[in-house]
């Protein structure tokens, strides 16, 4: 028996959970471990509900005016305190994908090169290639990109706009670079004079008690690093709110572009609403709760997969984020694994979507389903893949 | 005596009306007719205050999820009904400047050409040149761009990405193209196979009882026209919400880009909040009130300028929007008119900022001050410019 679908059908707002309102709806009857979405019951509806009225009461018409181009100072100051920098090193964005779009137009130009991890977030690649950037891929190991490989990639004589890295809770692999690795990567990029764009959308979602290592931006004092943060993964993507950390000179460059001078802050009212949440500790309480929910889901999925699959698959339990990365024997075919999962009523994401070419991998999101359903999904997948193995 | 500054100092939230929160603050002690801003008391604080809680109550977690890439259907359906098209011809944007940015990257490419009115919104030009587009300017008359001039501009053999036009309540000149003119412009662009981007940010702000002529998009059934609409000028720019009307095929192209596939709807929660306002008639009541406030301000400014300046300046009373456009004798120097205004404690916008080169022009915004202060500003300007005339 499938555990009840708490993702949608049991919710009072089920009728709005359909194509036309939200971006994508899971196929009926399946357990969806595909996208990097939060289970609806984990989205911050209760926390966000009072915020906009609070912000309009506190800030009055200033909250509806054109906002300061780099973002309203109340949120910039709160973020600066959280991330150990100055408010002048913070710019409010409309989320990581918007920030990356802005960087591609400000730093890129068709024909220039972006250096990326050979396995990385597929839609970041799309944003770069949409702007005419060529991609050069770099090998990675269990701590992400290898410094020697980055050095070689930057020695090809390309006109490199930036290096795009995810050193913390990597999507899709879940890897975390240690402090030494981080310092080595910074040194290589600095030697070549190339900025690093650090995608840190999952950084606040550590599943353990210890925080991840300091960000590249923090280690470098933001010199030569542009760090992208987001509230999409911690509160809800419908807010369209994030921030970036960078040198004040670069923030001046970004905020002096026509789009910003014309429209002002990229999401002004929402930035003041979220400032209300952070300012009095509600955001941190929410984060602690969400991390516990994600930890429980991750543990459930990993334990059930290990119980069902034994040693035949490498299952790295991630230290944070939304995803488990599975590594199969290289002779296993991604297509047949996906097909077997589909027959079992479970959706998973193929490693090839993220550029992976060094074996057979699948990405499983534990963020979009209840622990019961994750256990059921793992049991189905283990049975399906054992069968698929005997049938091949 | 200067009438009280209702724009800021008398408001309970005056302390937030400062650099760091909002984009720009008027210099102390002056009457600011420069930017296309609304007076704070005209921003829709009371109307917006309950909306987000209403949207989260109605839509639940679907309002915080990734939104449908083209925008949530409830708002698309309401906008389609208002603008006489189908929901498939509507895409929700984060405002006109964001929409124009999206179009520049999707339709443009460094080295391609955008054809623009020789006098037009300066920051639209900046957005285009930020994306490497070259600008080719077209002459205009009292109905905006002349079809013959457009035809010539499109016959140069440039690789034209689009034509950017503001046929309704033009910024800065206030002109409105009649229906025949609109049909002629459409015919010229269609003959050259070049799309028109129609900036209609002020279209809902007619000051009279009659609506402006149908949009280019409506006349063309959206074939070859992309119309940009905004809630910045009717509710408040801090929302960062607008929409565009276009052929469904083009909307598919825009929404299949990495930024949209990654982040979903460009401002999802806010789009559902504003849908609550439109859905039960509150938006239309707000519009009627705002138009009356703007009509009163426009009449006050124009009457006081005419009383003070007589026949020496052509003062076109606009039919809608935020601005009065002044045409001086060509021998009058823009610099000396600006300097005289500044000495009198009034900020106005120079015509040259908008590319105007066919005489001496100034743009005066009547949107940012109370009628009393507008009358005072007009009296000061008339005195200053009469003196400036005798002193030259």
């Amino acid at each position: 028996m499938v555990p009840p679908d708490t993702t949608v059908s049991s919710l009072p707002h089920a009728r709005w959970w359909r194509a036309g309102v939200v971006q994508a709806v899971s196929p009926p009857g399946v357990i969806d471990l595909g996208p990097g979405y939060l289970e609806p019951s984990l989205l911050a509806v209760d926390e966000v509900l009072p915020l906009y009225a609070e912000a309009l009461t506190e800030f009055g018409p200033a909250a509806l005016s054109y906002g300061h181009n780099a973002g309203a100072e109340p949120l910039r100051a709160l973020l600066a305190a959280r991330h150990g920098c100055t408010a002048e090193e913070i710019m409010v964005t409309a989320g990581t994908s918007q920030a990356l779009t802005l960087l591609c137009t400000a730093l890129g130009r068709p024909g220039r090169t972006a250096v990326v991890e050979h396995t990385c977030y597929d839609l970041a690649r799309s944003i770069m290639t949409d702007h005419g950037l060529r991609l050069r891929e770099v090998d990675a190991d269990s701590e992400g990109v290898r410094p020697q490989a980055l050095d070689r990639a930057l020695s090809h004589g390309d006109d490199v706009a930036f290096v795009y890295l995810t050193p913390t809770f990597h999507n899709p692999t879940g890897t975390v670079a240690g402090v030494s690795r981080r310092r080595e990567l910074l040194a290589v990029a600095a030697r070549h004079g190339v900025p690093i764009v650090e995608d840190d959308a999952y950084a606040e979602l550590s599943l353990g008690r210890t925080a991840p290592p300091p960000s590249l931006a923090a280690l470098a004092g933001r010199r030569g690093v542009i760090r992208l943060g987001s509230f999409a993964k911690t509160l809800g993507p419908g807010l369209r709110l994030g921030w970036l950390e960078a040198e004040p000179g670069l923030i001046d460059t970004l905020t002096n572009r026509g789009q910003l001078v014309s429209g002002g802050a990229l999401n002004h009212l929402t930035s003041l609403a979220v400032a209300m949440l952070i300012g009095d500790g509600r955001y941190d309480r929410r984060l602690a709760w969400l991390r516990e929910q994600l930890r429980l889901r991750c543990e459930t999925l990993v334990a059930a997969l290990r119980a069902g699959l034994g040693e035949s698959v490498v299952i790295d339990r991630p230290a944070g984020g939304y995803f488990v990365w599975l590594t199969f024997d290289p002779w296993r075919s991604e297509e047949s694994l996906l097909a077997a999962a589909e027959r079992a009523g479970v959706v998973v994401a193929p490693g090839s979507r993220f550029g992976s070419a060094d074996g057979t991998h699948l990405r499983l999101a534990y963020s979009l389903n209840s622990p019961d359903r994750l256990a059921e999904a793992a049991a189905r997948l283990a049975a399906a893949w054992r069968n698929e193995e005997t049938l091949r």
Side-chain angles (χ1 to χ4, degrees), chain A:
Chain A
M1 201 196 85
V2 192
D5 181 356
T6 57
T7 56
V8 175
S9 60
S10 67
L11 293 170
H13 307 90
R15 73 192 174 102
W16 293 118
W17 213 269
R18 57 177 164 78
V21 178
V22 299
Q23 185 178 48
V25 183
S26 303
V30 307
I31 304 179
D32 193 356
L33 312 187
Y37 289 177
L38 274 185
E39 188 179 0
S41 64
L42 297 182
L43 290 164
V45 174
D46 293 343
E47 291 90 339
V48 173
L49 198 134
L51 293 184
Y52 288 78
E54 290 176 25
L56 285 161
T57 303
E58 172 69 18
F59 297 101
L64 277 184
S65 76
Y66 289 95
H68 186 279
N69 295 1
E73 177 263 339
L75 182 60
R76 292 174 80 196
L78 289 165
L79 290 171
R82 293 179 79 80
H83 299 288
C85 60
T86 69
E88 289 65 40
E89 293 171 310
I90 298 275
M91 175 178 171
V92 179
T93 71
T96 294
S97 23
Q98 189 278 330
L100 193 53
T101 298
L102 187 66
L103 292 171
C104 285
T105 53
L107 305 181
R109 192 175 311 118
R112 296 196 77 186
T113 294
V115 173
V116 300
E117 296 144 318
H118 87 290
T119 300
C120 72
Y121 178 45
D122 55 325
L123 297 172
R125 285 171 195 260
S126 301
I127 293 170
M128 296 177 217
T129 55
D130 281 347
H131 289 87
L133 292 170
R134 299 161 201 248
L135 303 184
R136 182 178 287 280
E137 300 188 348
V138 189
D139 283 344
D141 59 21
S142 61
E143 285 196 62
V145 158
R146 293 185 304 110
Q148 298 84 345
L150 180 61
D151 189 45
R152 271 200 307 280
L154 293 175
S155 303
H156 276 279
D158 300 347
D159 179 15
V160 178
F162 54 78
V163 180
Y164 171 80
L165 297 178
T166 306
T168 306
F169 311 145
H170 184 273
N171 176 10
T173 65
T175 55
V176 180
V179 173
S180 310
R181 172 65 61 91
R182 289 172 193 244
R183 292 199 193 280
E184 289 168 349
L185 293 170
L186 286 169
V188 171
R191 199 158 61 240
H192 288 275
V194 170
I196 294 177
V197 176
E198 179 181 25
D199 185 343
D200 236 356
Y202 294 95
E204 293 189 297
L205 295 174
S206 174
L207 302 184
R209 290 175 191 280
T210 55
S215 67
L216 295 178
L219 289 171
R222 272 140 293 272
R223 271 199 296 278
V225 179
I226 304 145
R227 179 178 186 239
L228 308 184
S230 178
F231 295 101
K233 303 303 182 183
T234 58
L235 295 174
L239 292 171
R240 289 293 86 214
L241 192 71
W243 74 95
L244 64 76
E245 301 167 34
E247 294 172 72
L250 178 68
I251 290 178
D252 284 348
T253 302
L254 296 174
T255 54
N256 281 319
R257 295 173 63 78
Q259 180 187 357
L260 280 291
V261 179
S262 174
L266 291 165
N267 207 355
H268 185 55
L269 174 58
T270 294
S271 76
L272 292 170
V274 170
M276 303 303 292
L277 192 72
I278 298 178
D280 63 6
R282 282 178 285 176
Y283 181 67
D284 278 328
R285 287 196 294 279
R286 150 87 189 168
L287 267 188
W289 175 84
L290 180 62
R291 288 166 55 189
E292 182 58 22
Q293 297 298 318
L294 290 169
R295 188 189 60 73
L296 179 66
R297 283 162 174 76
C298 177
E299 281 179 1
T300 302
L301 179 64
V302 169
L305 286 171
R306 284 184 177 156
L309 289 165
E311 301 293 305
S312 67
V313 182
V314 179
I315 302 162
D316 290 317
R317 186 177 151 197
Y322 280 8
F323 308 111
V324 172
W325 184 243
L326 304 186
T327 303
F328 293 81
D329 290 330
W331 53 263
R332 299 291 297 265
S333 131
E334 183 183 278
E335 291 72 21
S336 66
L337 290 165
L338 282 174
E342 192 184 333
R343 284 193 299 274
V346 182
V347 174
V348 300
S352 59
R353 180 192 297 170
F354 309 98
S356 173
D358 67 339
T360 304
H361 300 280
L362 298 175
R363 188 192 77 176
L364 276 54
Y366 48 81
S367 50
L368 182 55
N369 283 276
S370 66
D372 279 358
R373 283 172 64 89
L374 290 167
E376 168 72 18
R380 290 193 200 180
L381 289 173
W385 290 335
R386 282 194 309 263
N387 282 336
E388 185 269 343
E389 193 170 353
T390 54
L391 288 173
R392 85 194 158 84

